[in-house]
Amino acid sequence: MTRNQKLLKFIPVNNDLNKAIAFANTLDVNNIKNVQRIKTKEFYIPTLEIIEKLQDEGWNIFGVNEQRGNNRKINRNYVQMQHPDFAMKNAKGKDEALVSLTITNSCNGSKPLSLDLGMYRQVCSNGTIAFNRAAESEIIRHIQVDYNNLANFISNINRKTSVVLNEFEKLKHTNLSVKEMQKLAYEAAQLRYSNLDDIDINDLLSVNRIEDEGNDLWTVFNRIQENLIGDVANLNEDIRLNKQLFSLANQYALAV
C-alpha cells in the first residue's frame, strides 16, 4: 500500500446493533468468552453495554472495527458513534461534520475502556476522525468502582461534547498564509516520520475534492490529516497521531 492510498477506518453499520456485532463480535462479552475463548476480568465492562447507554442519550453507531494481536487473536474492538444534535455547519447551513465518539476496549480487560471525542467530516469517505486532544479521554477501568460509576462517565462525555464542537469551530475562523500552511504541514509530517527526505510537504496540502479548497485552518487541517494519516492501519496509532495533529493545529488557532 502506498502512502496516498486511504484505508477505511470503520465498517459502516448505520446504527444497526445486530450488524455491529456481526462485523465485530467481541462487542458482546458472550462472544468473547464462547467464540473467542478469551477469559475476562471479574468486573469486565462489555463495549455493548456502553453502546446501549450512549444510544439512550441519542448517540448513533456509525461503524465498528477489531484489531488482532501478534498471535492473530482479536484483542481489541473499536466503535465510532455520532450525535446528530452536535454538528458543524458549512457556509450553506448544512451539516459539514458531526461530533464523533470513539470507544476503544480490550477483549480481556487488561487495558481500560476509553472514550475519545472528535469530529467526523462527512466528505471523508475513509472515515477519518479529528480527535480533540484537549478533551481528555474518559478512561474506564475494568474494576467494580468504575463499573458502578458508568452513569457519571457517560454524563461527562455529554458535557464535553459542546466544548469539543466549539474547539473545532475556532479552526474555521482562523485563516492561514501560504507560509503558515507549509509550516503546519512540515510540523505535522514530523509527528509521523523521523526522516522527511522523501516527503513532499506540498503533497500533504494537496486538494482531493472541492470541499478541501480554502486556507482556513479547519480546511487545511483536514487536507493534511487525510493525506498524512489516511493510510494508517493501526487504529491506536491513528488516534494518537490525530490527537497530536489537532493539538498542533490548535496552536495556530490560539496564536491568532
Side-chain angles (χ1 to χ4, degrees):
M1 175 171 290
T2 66
R3 185 167 56 85
N4 291 325
Q5 289 178 295
K6 307 301 189 294
L7 292 172
L8 181 67
K9 306 291 183 179
F10 292 88
I11 302 168
V13 298
N14 196 29
N15 204 34
D16 186 325
L17 193 54
N18 291 327
K19 186 182 291 187
I21 296 172
F23 282 117
N25 68 58
T26 59
L27 299 179
D28 188 337
V29 69
N30 292 316
N31 290 330
I32 290 177
K33 294 177 179 178
N34 302 325
V35 178
Q36 299 297 327
R37 304 294 183 183
I38 297 173
K39 185 177 180 179
T40 61
K41 299 184 77 171
E42 180 182 1
F43 292 101
Y44 181 76
I45 300 171
T47 309
L48 183 59
E49 186 168 344
I50 300 296
I51 292 173
E52 291 173 334
K53 289 181 181 298
L54 287 164
Q55 283 183 316
D56 289 341
E57 298 290 330
W59 291 87
N60 297 324
I61 313 169
F62 175 81
V64 298
N65 210 331
E66 291 176 317
Q67 178 177 288
R68 295 181 183 272
N70 294 331
N71 61 0
R72 303 306 300 159
K73 290 181 70 70
I74 298 171
N75 61 8
R76 194 167 290 160
N77 55 62
Y78 303 86
V79 182
Q80 182 193 352
M81 304 189 75
Q82 298 169 354
H83 202 301
D85 293 342
F86 296 98
M88 181 186 290
K89 305 292 184 181
N90 60 21
K92 297 180 180 179
K94 295 183 178 181
D95 289 352
E96 177 183 352
L98 295 173
V99 170
S100 169
L101 176 62
T102 297
I103 306 169
T104 304
N105 200 9
S106 58
C107 293
N108 61 4
S110 60
K111 297 182 183 298
L113 183 150
S114 66
L115 305 172
D116 290 285
L117 283 167
M119 186 68 69
Y120 173 72
R121 191 174 180 225
Q122 299 186 92
V123 298
C124 291
S125 58
N126 66 318
T128 302
I129 304 165
F131 289 99
N132 189 332
R133 193 177 186 181
E136 294 183 1
S137 302
E138 286 292 327
I139 301 298
I140 306 175
R141 299 162 299 171
H142 296 281
I143 58 177
Q144 185 174 12
V145 64
D146 282 10
Y147 185 86
N148 294 337
N149 202 32
L150 285 180
N152 285 337
F153 286 111
I154 301 301
S155 177
N156 284 341
I157 283 295
N158 289 332
R159 177 179 52 81
K160 290 179 178 179
T161 302
S162 295
V163 176
V164 168
L165 184 58
N166 290 334
E167 287 291 319
F168 281 103
E169 284 281 2
K170 290 178 184 178
L171 305 189
K172 290 190 70 173
H173 301 291
T174 303
N175 291 319
L176 300 179
S177 66
V178 172
K179 185 176 180 179
E180 287 173 325
M181 285 190 282
Q182 291 175 334
K183 182 173 183 288
L184 175 58
Y186 180 82
E187 292 173 338
Q190 290 180 309
L191 297 176
R192 181 174 180 185
Y193 303 107
S194 56
N195 186 349
L196 302 185
D197 291 345
D198 297 327
I199 305 298
D200 187 342
I201 297 303
N202 290 321
D203 285 346
L204 300 183
L205 294 168
S206 62
V207 175
N208 298 316
R209 57 184 70 83
I210 191 170
E211 292 89 352
D212 292 334
E213 296 177 350
N215 65 341
D216 65 275
L217 184 52
W218 167 247
T219 303
V220 174
F221 166 82
N222 277 283
R223 292 208 302 267
I224 294 173
Q225 179 205 43
E226 186 173 7
N227 292 320
L228 178 67
I229 306 175
D231 65 339
V232 174
N234 185 292
L235 277 171
N236 276 348
E237 179 68 2
D238 180 273
I239 292 172
R240 182 190 71 81
L241 286 169
N242 266 295
K243 286 183 177 180
Q244 291 181 345
L245 182 57
F246 173 80
S247 180
L248 176 63
N250 198 41
Q251 292 175 22
Y252 285 72
L254 294 174
V256 175

